[in-house]
Amino acid sequence: MFANPKTLAQKGVLGMNKRNIDFIGRYNPRSLYKLVDDKLMTKQLALKEGINTPGLIGVIRVQHEIEQLPKMIEGKKGFVVKPAQGSGGKGILVITHVEDGKFYKPSGDEVTPAEMDRHCSNVLSGLFTLGGKNDVAVVEDLIKFDPVFDGYSFEGVPDIRLIVFKGFPIMGMLRLSTRASDGKANLHQGAVGVGLDLVTGKGLHAVQYDRPIELHPDTGKKLIDIQVPHWDKLMETAAGCYEMSGLGYLGTDMVLDVEAGPQLLELNARPGLAIQTANARGILPRLQNIQKLGDIPMPVAQRIEYVKKHFHPDSGI
């Protein structure tokens, strides 16, 4: 459906050109992109700053190291293989069950050892990276799904996206996988996006394929009934990524592990705009509100307090 650009601007919707020029271009030094474009570098940076991330099992850097994978994952009930420089969820292979040397995806489909080796080779060759440059395969512990999300996601682990501007979390959504998205929390592939109240972490509005929905298409759960636990810790983690990365405008992607709590998955220096659709409101007024504060330093707790006071559902922005 076509919408007049002027109408969108009046509603505070941030468009791609304005995002690229006024926010990404202005607040994200290109020299820092490598810290977030490479998931292994992000993980190492987070560990240095004391931010929890999924446990690192190992790294496969060259072809002959693929033969070390069976020993690497020995005793593991599940694991994840991902390209360090992949984007949009491409190349992420989730194994939830290992039995008799065979690997099984969340759907129950088997991945043979030969297919696993081929996947790792494809990662190394750059099949999943922008520009096709050589990459490394990162092998991580499997996130233990928090049961609070039972029925809200199909097969995959939900993740929480928070947009952070100058250290202020200004808009959030929960991304829930569906049958259509093949268990991946990617909105473009058919996952559900649920806009979140920044004060409480409760669901506000939900969409799939940019259209409002009330119930999860596969489980029938009422989506805005969801309440994300550990909300204050998630907000604190996201806000702290500003100091950690040096990026003024970024997306933080986090998950909840039933044992370890909030875990930082990755950062994005060019976060997408679909979060506005999930929240049924434009993000621009909030960005402009933070811009008006100037550059007076604020600790994380004070920034979160400001957000909860000014960006609650009834604030009008």
Side-chain angles (χ1 to χ4, degrees):
M1 183 181 295
F2 177 79
N4 187 292
K6 187 175 181 180
T7 302
L8 292 175
Q10 289 171 344
K11 292 181 178 294
V13 174
L14 179 66
M16 190 174 292
N17 287 343
K18 189 171 183 65
R19 180 204 66 172
N20 292 347
I21 296 168
D22 292 355
F23 295 98
I24 294 176
R26 179 176 176 184
Y27 294 100
N28 290 354
R30 289 198 66 84
S31 61
L32 300 179
Y33 278 28
K34 60 185 178 183
L35 298 178
V36 299
D37 286 349
D38 187 316
K39 295 176 182 62
L40 184 57
M41 291 184 71
T42 304
K43 179 182 286 289
Q44 292 166 336
L45 192 61
L47 291 172
K48 184 180 176 182
E49 295 294 322
I51 293 176
N52 287 340
T53 69
L56 179 64
I57 296 173
V59 181
I60 298 171
R61 299 180 184 275
V62 292
Q63 190 71 28
H64 71 82
E65 290 180 350
I66 294 174
E67 63 191 42
Q68 299 299 318
L69 182 62
K71 185 176 181 180
M72 200 180 285
I73 57 151
E74 190 175 356
K76 297 287 182 182
K77 295 180 180 179
F79 58 94
V80 177
V81 179
K82 61 172 68 171
Q85 299 176 69
S87 63
K90 295 174 184 175
I92 296 177
L93 180 61
V94 179
I95 299 298
T96 53
H97 181 57
V98 181
E99 186 177 350
D100 297 330
K102 297 177 181 178
F103 310 108
Y104 296 91
K105 298 195 291 186
S107 62
D109 292 343
E110 180 186 342
V111 179
T112 66
E115 289 171 332
M116 178 66 70
D117 289 354
R118 193 179 311 119
H119 180 79
C120 291
S121 291
N122 288 338
V123 170
L124 297 182
S125 69
L127 185 63
F128 308 110
T129 64
L130 294 173
K133 55 186 176 181
N134 289 352
D135 204 351
V136 302
V138 179
V139 187
E140 289 183 338
D141 282 333
L142 184 69
I143 296 292
K144 298 177 182 67
F145 193 40
D146 193 310
V148 73
F149 294 130
D150 282 352
Y152 284 108
S153 192
F154 179 80
E155 295 180 347
V157 177
D159 70 18
I160 300 100
R161 158 69 61 91
L162 281 165
I163 300 292
V164 179
F165 180 51
K166 298 180 74 173
F168 294 82
I170 59 169
M171 192 167 278
M173 71 172 166
L174 182 66
R175 297 186 292 196
L176 304 169
S177 56
T178 64
R179 188 184 300 273
S181 72
D182 192 30
K184 294 185 174 66
N186 187 309
L187 265 60
H188 298 296
Q189 294 178 0
V192 168
V194 182
L196 298 172
D197 178 355
L198 291 180
V199 180
T200 65
K202 189 177 184 305
L204 295 172
H205 180 262
V207 295
Q208 185 186 30
Y209 296 119
D210 294 335
R211 296 180 181 275
I213 59 171
E214 294 186 3
L215 307 177
H216 191 284
D218 303 306
T219 69
K221 277 269 195 175
K222 190 174 180 181
L223 292 163
I224 63 169
D225 284 348
I226 200 159
Q227 171 78 52
V228 178
H230 305 292
W231 185 247
D232 285 344
K233 181 62 177 177
L234 287 163
M235 290 278 280
E236 177 187 320
T237 300
C241 288
Y242 169 56
E243 281 85 2
M244 182 184 88
S245 69
L247 296 170
Y249 183 80
L250 75 155
T252 64
D253 294 339
M254 296 170 287
V255 291
L256 287 179
D257 185 283
V258 68
E259 296 175 1
Q263 305 267 295
L264 177 67
L265 271 187
E266 60 183 86
L267 301 177
N268 195 318
R270 315 164 194 80
L273 300 168
I275 195 168
Q276 299 176 107
T277 309
N279 279 270
R281 68 177 66 211
I283 199 171
L284 189 56
R286 296 184 179 186
L287 292 166
Q288 292 169 335
N289 181 287
I290 300 301
Q291 283 180 317
K292 290 176 183 176
L293 295 176
D295 295 318
I296 300 172
M298 277 192 205
V300 167
Q302 191 176 345
R303 298 199 299 260
I304 293 173
E305 183 181 350
Y306 181 91
V307 165
K308 290 186 173 185
K309 181 178 179 180
H310 292 88
F311 301 153
H312 57 81
D314 300 322
S315 64
I317 62 171

